[in-house]
Amino acid sequence: MTGFPLPAPAQRALGMLEAAGFEAYLVGGCVRDGLRGLPPHDWDICTAARPGQVRDALGAAFTVLDTGLRHGTVTAVRGHVHLEVTTFRADGAYSDGRHPDGVRFVGRVEDDLARRDFTVNAMAWSPARGLVDPFGGRRDLEDGVLRCVGDADARFMEDALRIARALRFAAQAGFRIEENTAAAMRRQRGLLGRIARERLCEELSRTLCGRYVGRVLRGFPDVLAAFCPELAPMFGFEQHNGHHLYDVWEHTVRVVEAVPPVLAMRLAALLHDCGKPASFTMDARGVGHFYGHPKISAVLAHKLLTGLRFDHATRAAVVRLVEYHDRPLGPDPARLRRRLHRLGEMPVRQLLMLKKADCVGQGTHREHIAELWETQALLEQVLAERHCFTLRQLAVNGHDLKALGLRGPQVGETLHALLRHVLESPGDNQKEHLLALARQMRDGNEDNRP
Ligand code: ATP
Ligand code: MG
């Protein structure tokens, strides 16, 4: 296979299974990615051998773990390489729309490939036997087409997670989703409600970080809304405002495309304006306004992220970016230091990126973008000059204040007061100067005592 850097342990396992008399192939994602000349990120092997036979055949060279015996899967480990080795199988009926009721081992690789979701994922390859491609996966891969194996509606009814996987593969690899498959995704999208939120979270995350995410957001908003209902009000929502060239959803898609492929940033871009429809008002001149929309967006974002079981850190980061996205962050060093104090360096950097993308997505206001670049330069300067924006950077600490006779809560209060002072006047962050200020504060307090 062209451009297929097969790691030595995978080659060895295939050889050992064949030597023991069992057909064995690489299968699924690693074949798909290998044919595209991309490094696969996991190695799946399918074989005619039953799990016990796999253990016997590979035991001499691999540590063999019983990962999913019930489904015929064991993991063979050698060094850093983990190989998932699965016996050829066909799935039984799917009564819950996600898991087969039972699996049946089968003798032929073609029967195993028939249970797989998309033609590009339904190919097997081995050095000894070459490519097995009963559904035209290679052709679809060359054409950049994602197509279900068999009847698309039936395949999505068996397992609706495949609908979210289709979005993800389209966003990652730029596949065009074949018409019948796309139509079935829309028809069956209601079944996504049966799928574990954690799985949808995973697929949505990978979709958002995909290079071709814009196409998916534009082409399948209805499918996304089946598991992200908070997005729906944005679709086609006109802004009636000269600052915006696009409706809320098209603007959102542009912002998602314009931020780096980092999950928290992509989520923040996706959700930053989701509160706009709910906050819309039109003034007497027919101009649309969205007063207070960041707050509403933040509440909706929190709801969506909690519903999809995003981890706490991601949720907190995204909600904060959404909440702050519309607050001024102009080229004003004191404001930058206050933001750095409140949010931290990384979130301020992300906020700037989001604000730039927001401007780009509005399609107007070049001068505003220029101002954000100026702010960026100033941020680099504030950080390079080590302006103080945390207690840790303050030129005095609690011990220094205790030495002045301050006690208990006075110590913390005075430290915070000094920090507030240097956020405005960074040049004053010098020990003698701050001690003098602290003495004044102490004496002022004493004077005020009854
Ligand atoms: P990646 O590893 O890049 O996420 P992948 O295609 O390898 O992509 P996996 O989840 O690792 O995806 O699954 C490996 C293979 O198993 C797939 O290529 C596909 O053939 C099959 N497969 C996985 N999930 C399903 C599913 N829900 N329905 C049918 N086949 C599936
Ligand atoms: Mg894989």
Side-chain angles (χ1 to χ4, degrees), residues 337 379-390 393-394 426 429:
R337 287 189 294 268
L379 173 67
E380 303 306 340
Q381 191 187 337
V382 163
L383 291 168
E385 290 175 2
R386 300 179 166 279
H387 291 195
C388 168
F389 56 89
T390 61
Q393 295 167 299
L394 208 55
N429 191 28

Side-chain angles (χ1 to χ4, degrees), residues 24-98:
Y25 303 87
L26 292 175
V27 68
C30 61
V31 177
R32 178 197 67 221
D33 292 343
L35 283 171
R36 295 170 68 219
L38 300 175
H41 63 255
D42 49 24
W43 298 94
D44 294 324
I45 288 177
C46 65
T47 177
R50 302 293 171 95
Q53 295 168 320
V54 173
R55 177 180 287 285
D56 292 344
L58 300 184
F62 290 84
T63 307
V64 182
L65 311 169
D66 299 339
T67 7
L69 266 195
R70 222 166 58 82
H71 296 106
T73 303
V74 299
T75 304
V77 184
R78 187 177 168 89
H80 297 300
V81 178
H82 288 228
L83 306 167
E84 296 260 296
V85 186
T86 305
T87 307
F88 296 154
R89 58 174 235 222
D91 295 334
Y94 287 72
S95 39
D96 66 351
R98 173 71 191 108

Side-chain angles (χ1 to χ4, degrees), residues 119-443:
T119 61
V120 295
N121 287 344
M123 290 184 276
W125 178 84
S126 89
R129 298 166 191 275
L131 189 69
V132 184
D133 177 20
F135 305 105
R138 179 162 204 167
R139 171 85 193 275
D140 282 343
L141 195 62
E142 278 162 9
D143 295 345
V145 169
L146 193 75
R147 181 196 314 270
C148 275
V149 171
D151 179 69
D153 285 281
R155 302 314 306 282
F156 294 140
M157 282 192 255
E158 281 173 1
D159 177 4
L161 181 64
R162 292 167 185 160
I163 298 173
R165 282 171 59 86
L167 297 179
R168 188 251 291 188
F169 289 124
Q172 285 183 323
F175 290 121
R176 183 175 65 74
I177 302 179
E178 177 272 331
E179 268 170 46
N180 288 319
T181 299
M185 286 166 67
R186 297 187 206 288
R187 279 192 294 271
Q188 307 302 337
R189 65 182 191 267
L191 298 177
L192 284 162
R194 298 186 190 177
I195 302 301
R197 305 283 102 184
E198 290 79 359
R199 301 304 301 271
L200 294 173
C201 171
E202 168 80 18
E203 297 301 337
L204 176 65
S205 302
R206 297 174 78 178
T207 300
L208 285 175
C209 292
R211 184 161 165 205
Y212 304 92
V213 58
R215 287 195 213 169
V216 170
L217 299 182
R218 288 191 182 91
F220 296 90
D222 46 348
V223 177
L224 275 170
F227 61 103
C228 303
E230 289 79 4
L231 304 180
M234 288 193 276
F235 304 156
F237 196 94
E238 290 299 337
Q239 312 212 44
H240 301 282
N241 188 309
H243 297 310
H244 288 271
L245 280 186
Y246 311 109
D247 70 53
V248 177
W249 185 239
E250 176 58 26
H251 163 70
T252 296
V253 176
R254 284 169 183 258
V255 179
V256 170
E257 290 176 314
V259 295
V262 170
L263 182 59
M265 295 233 61
R266 289 274 163 107
L267 283 166
L270 181 73
L271 297 166
H272 77 287
D273 275 352
C274 69
K276 270 194 167 178
S279 67
F280 180 73
T281 53
M282 194 181 268
D283 67 22
R285 290 170 301 140
V287 177
H289 301 282
F290 303 95
Y291 299 118
H293 79 272
K295 188 78 215 158
I296 302 178
S297 297
V299 170
L300 292 172
H302 185 269
K303 186 159 169 257
L304 182 144
L305 298 171
T306 308
L308 284 177
R309 314 281 191 268
F310 276 91
D311 63 84
H312 176 78
T314 304
R315 206 169 58 200
V318 173
V319 168
R320 200 167 43 180
L321 285 168
V322 170
E323 215 176 306
Y324 275 79
H325 84 267
D326 212 29
R327 296 197 201 179
L329 190 67
D332 166 353
R335 181 186 280 148
L336 267 179
R337 287 189 294 268
R338 286 196 298 271
R339 285 281 187 272
L340 284 166
H341 167 60
R342 188 162 182 107
L343 303 175
E345 176 183 339
M346 167 89 143
V348 168
R349 288 189 179 284
Q350 293 189 331
L351 190 59
L352 251 177
M353 287 190 265
L354 179 61
K355 289 178 82 69
K356 281 187 214 154
D358 199 6
C359 272
V360 170
Q362 285 172 3
T364 57
H365 286 285
R366 279 171 195 279
E367 67 288 354
H368 196 173
I369 300 182
E371 188 184 291
L372 288 167
W373 279 108
E374 233 180 286
T375 308
Q376 177 86 51
L378 194 63
L379 173 67
E380 303 306 340
Q381 191 187 337
V382 163
L383 291 168
E385 290 175 2
R386 300 179 166 279
H387 291 195
C388 168
F389 56 89
T390 61
L391 283 180
R392 227 166 3 101
Q393 295 167 299
L394 208 55
V396 295
N397 60 29
H399 296 297
D400 301 323
L401 297 189
K402 281 182 194 155
L404 294 185
L406 294 180
R407 290 289 168 265
Q410 274 185 327
V411 176
E413 282 161 18
T414 307
L415 282 173
H416 279 102
L418 292 173
L419 178 59
R420 278 196 300 279
H421 175 85
V422 300
L423 285 174
E424 301 308 315
S425 314
D428 288 357
N429 191 28
Q430 288 163 22
K431 190 159 183 176
E432 285 315 314
H433 195 98
L434 293 186
L435 288 176
L437 272 176
R439 269 186 226 105
Q440 279 175 21
M441 292 178 191
R442 177 196 66 190
D443 298 343

